[in-house]
């Protein structure tokens, strides 16, 4: 299982680095969205290192007051590192369409998730497949302005 986890982690990191590079080189014009979901760059503080970390994600549910992120890790049985970082330090920043905003992140309650999940799956059906692939309850993260 250790080798498989390392392979999944390497694949996720590689995809993130490539997405961020294309996004930056294009000035945010390429890969700015995936369907109706805007690409967002989440900035967290590493819970062990204390260093600023950046991760490219999508926000399947969003408006001017909140962005909803899904800690799916492609249906892996482990939570993504970015999620563990924001649980430890919920003061995050989101860069969306070139604008960086200070936000506070929190895990949606069971009730909030039950309302949001159909909207999330309507934006990208793959999230439902990720949930079916794992026994882990995939966290839904709500980011709201500080």
């Amino acid at each position: 299982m250790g080798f498989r986890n390392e392979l999944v982690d390497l694949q996720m990191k590689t995809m993130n680095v490539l997405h961020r590079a294309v996004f930056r080189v294009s000035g945010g014009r390429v890969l700015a969205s995936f369907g109706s979901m805007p690409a967002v760059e989440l900035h967290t503080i590493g819970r062990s290192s204390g260093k600023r970390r950046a991760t490219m994600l999508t926000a399947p549910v969003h408006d001017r007051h909140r962005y909803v992120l899904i800690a799916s890790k492609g249906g892996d049985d482990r939570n993504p590192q970015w999620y563990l970082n924001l649980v430890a330090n919920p003061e995050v920043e989101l860069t969306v369409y070139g604008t960086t905003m200070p936000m506070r992140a929190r895990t949606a309650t069971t009730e909030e998730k039950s309302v949001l999940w159909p909207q999330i799956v309507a934006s990208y059906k793959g999230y439902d497949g990720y949930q079916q692939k794992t026994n882990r309850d995939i966290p839904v993260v709500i980011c709201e302005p500080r």
Side-chain angles (χ1 to χ4, degrees):
M1 198 64 156
F3 178 73
R4 182 190 175 286
N5 286 347
E6 288 176 23
L7 195 58
V8 167
D9 292 348
L10 179 62
Q11 179 185 14
M12 293 288 185
K13 286 179 184 176
T14 301
M15 286 175 24
N16 185 52
V17 166
L18 290 173
H19 189 177
R20 286 179 45 221
V22 169
F23 192 74
R24 283 216 169 95
V25 167
S26 72
R29 290 182 302 276
V30 178
L31 301 178
S33 63
F34 181 75
S36 64
M37 300 183 294
V40 301
E41 188 172 32
L42 172 69
H43 305 275
T44 60
I45 301 299
R47 66 196 178 289
S48 300
S49 69
K51 294 179 182 176
R52 189 171 196 242
R53 303 290 184 193
T55 305
M56 293 301 296
L57 301 166
T58 55
V61 177
H62 57 279
D63 59 36
R64 32 178 247 151
H65 300 292
R66 71 175 179 173
Y67 288 85
V68 176
L69 311 174
I70 315 307
S72 64
K73 196 171 185 175
D76 194 83
D77 288 330
R78 299 165 296 145
N79 284 318
Q81 296 297 313
W82 64 261
Y83 176 72
L84 300 175
N85 288 342
L86 69 76
V87 167
N89 183 357
E91 306 297 312
V92 301
E93 291 181 339
L94 274 184
T95 302
V96 185
Y97 299 121
T99 301
T100 300
M101 303 166 283
M103 306 289 268
R104 181 167 290 107
R106 63 181 177 82
T107 304
T109 65
T110 303
E111 295 79 20
E112 288 172 319
K113 183 177 178 179
S114 69
V115 170
L116 289 168
W117 194 253
Q119 298 170 53
I120 291 164
V121 172
S123 288
Y124 178 62
K125 291 182 183 11
Y127 287 123
D128 198 38
Y130 298 155
Q131 184 59 78
Q132 292 177 25
K133 186 177 167 184
T134 182
N135 292 326
R136 169 176 71 91
D137 182 32
I138 293 177
V140 171
V141 175
I142 299 171
C143 297
E144 298 166 312
R146 284 191 242 155

